Amino acid sequence: MEATERRAGRAPAGDDIDLILRHVSRKLPHAVARALVDCEGPIEPLEWVDTQVTSRQRRLDRALLVKAAEGKRLLHVEWARAMTRDVSWRMFEYNTLTALALGSETRARRGAKPEEGPPRIESVLVLLSGRDEPWPEEGVYRTSPEDRPFSGVSFRVEPVYQRTVAELVRRATEQGSPFWLIFAPLTKDVDADKLAHVMENLRAQSSPEEFEELCAAMAVLAETNRRVKGLKDVVVSAGSGRLVVQNWIFREGRKEGRKEGRKQGRLEGRLETLAHQFERRLGRPLTMSERQTLETRLAKLGAGRVGDVVLDRSPEELVRWLAPRAEG
């Protein structure tokens, strides 16, 4: 979106939408898991997993590790304003790199059973706008020739903007997840009256804390609907004063985020250099927990002291130093 459109206040930037959806998904993992994991039976979210892929490519979300009847799986969700040429490639890239990272980390774990493999990855693309023609239920990125059996990555496509309000309400009720309702302002038949009814459903299906978080996301999404005016007012009037405060903090935080982003970029550069040095000394990739420990130690001790550690200590001592409860 052009900067002039953002200054005019006609719609929030794509980064705004991505940030608010990431925020609400982090705050409400149970609602996200129940809505987006495609399997029968109970679903239990376990943790947000920060792999080496997400550490090196900050535009990629962390994946949500969930426990289902079929076993553990990683839920990877991408939010997209439109189906651009590189969306399928991004889905393939994340899926493949994450599978490789998890495989390396599984083999590196002490005491891992030979038959124990990394969790499988379920990828979902949530489309927020685009063409009128219906999308297929699955998207693919194909690596094999067309005349050979399929090889590559497939992912589920959820074009929420092509749904009706009634469809999202039904999904939210059947799956026991109010998460679907935040996309109501984008549906093809939404109007102020229908959205007001959705707000009543949302309040009935969620706790007060969940309601405020979901309202904040809905308010941002409502601003993107240029066909129907006044939808954001419906959302705000149903929420409390906290919703207005949240949105103000969110927008002001973006300004500060630009400054913090430059600082964070320098820290990430040092982290990558040190991680590479540790991996060279150990002769293997760092596990997820080791990488998280290294990031914590770097923030606490500084690059100089951490650099001394990787040079002065033996590989066995480095393994102990990288243990989650190790002392600096």
Side-chain angles (χ1 to χ4, degrees):
M1 182 174 297
E2 295 297 331
T4 53
E5 293 181 341
R6 294 198 297 269
R7 285 195 296 269
R10 288 193 285 172
D15 287 346
D16 289 3
I17 296 170
D18 191 58
L19 284 172
I20 196 66
L21 288 174
R22 290 186 184 199
H23 168 75
V24 74
S25 63
R26 296 288 187 273
K27 297 285 287 187
L28 306 174
H30 285 80
V32 173
R34 288 196 300 267
L36 295 178
V37 174
D38 186 19
C39 67
E40 300 292 334
I43 300 167
E44 178 187 357
L46 300 176
E47 62 176 331
W48 290 100
V49 176
D50 191 4
T51 67
Q52 293 185 35
V53 178
T54 54
S55 295
R56 292 173 182 174
Q57 300 189 44
R58 290 297 177 182
R59 65 178 175 79
L60 296 174
D61 246 345
R62 291 178 298 174
L64 179 62
L65 180 65
V66 300
K67 182 179 180 181
E70 294 82 358
K72 294 181 181 179
R73 67 180 70 183
L74 282 178
L75 173 65
H76 160 230
V77 183
E78 288 277 348
W79 323 102
R81 292 289 300 272
M83 180 70 89
T84 58
R85 291 182 178 179
D86 68 334
V87 167
S88 296
W89 164 255
R90 289 208 317 265
M91 303 298 286
F92 168 79
E93 180 185 31
Y94 184 94
N95 192 298
T96 303
L97 293 178
T98 300
L100 291 172
L102 291 174
S104 297
E105 292 160 7
T106 298
R107 291 191 297 272
R109 284 201 306 265
R110 291 183 176 182
K113 297 179 181 179
E115 67 275 11
E116 180 184 357
R120 304 295 174 86
I121 303 168
E122 179 176 357
S123 294
V124 183
L125 173 66
V126 179
L127 278 176
L128 306 179
S129 63
R131 71 187 192 191
D132 293 332
E133 180 185 353
W135 293 97
E137 293 184 0
E138 283 197 347
V140 298
Y141 185 88
R142 188 182 186 102
T143 57
S144 58
E146 294 292 340
D147 61 346
R148 304 303 303 159
F150 175 79
S151 179
V153 165
S154 63
F155 51 91
R156 196 165 81 251
V157 180
E158 291 287 354
V160 291
Y161 74 97
Q162 291 185 343
R163 310 301 184 202
T164 64
V165 171
E167 285 180 293
L168 293 190
V169 171
R170 184 172 62 252
R171 282 193 179 192
T173 303
E174 292 175 350
Q175 298 177 354
S177 174
F179 186 74
W180 284 115
L181 299 181
I182 69 173
F183 301 109
L186 305 179
T187 52
K188 61 184 181 181
D189 65 339
V190 68
D191 59 29
D193 291 338
K194 290 179 180 178
L195 188 58
H197 181 66
V198 168
M199 301 310 296
E200 294 175 5
N201 275 274
L202 183 63
R203 191 185 296 276
Q205 293 187 36
S206 55
S207 68
E209 293 77 15
E210 289 177 331
F211 181 72
E212 293 296 340
E213 294 292 348
L214 294 168
C215 279
M218 289 181 74
V220 174
L221 291 173
E223 287 186 276
T224 70
N225 190 330
R226 300 180 183 178
R227 297 179 296 105
V228 185
K229 304 300 182 182
L231 295 181
K232 181 183 176 182
D233 294 335
V234 175
V235 177
V236 172
S237 64
S240 69
R242 183 180 166 210
L243 173 60
V244 178
V245 173
Q246 281 180 331
N247 278 305
W248 181 83
I249 293 173
F250 174 71
R251 294 182 186 281
E252 291 300 309
R254 286 178 56 237
K255 298 176 184 177
E256 293 299 320
R258 296 189 186 99
K259 299 177 183 177
E260 289 298 319
R262 291 190 289 269
K263 179 180 178 182
Q264 182 67 20
R266 292 191 293 270
L267 180 62
E268 289 170 8
R270 297 188 185 106
L271 175 63
E272 294 309 317
T273 298
L274 290 166
H276 177 70
Q277 292 174 352
F278 272 88
E279 290 171 347
R280 287 288 300 274
R281 291 294 310 280
L282 296 176
R284 60 167 174 81
L286 297 180
T287 65
M288 286 184 287
S289 61
E290 287 174 338
R291 190 177 182 89
Q292 290 166 356
T293 300
L294 176 58
E295 189 168 0
T296 301
R297 300 284 186 268
L298 175 59
K300 180 180 179 181
L301 303 176
R305 288 185 62 185
V306 175
D308 290 339
V309 169
V310 73
L311 292 174
D312 296 342
R313 304 195 186 190
S314 68
E316 292 77 14
E317 290 172 329
L318 292 180
V319 171
R320 292 193 292 271
W321 189 85
L322 289 169
R325 295 184 180 180
E327 296 296 331

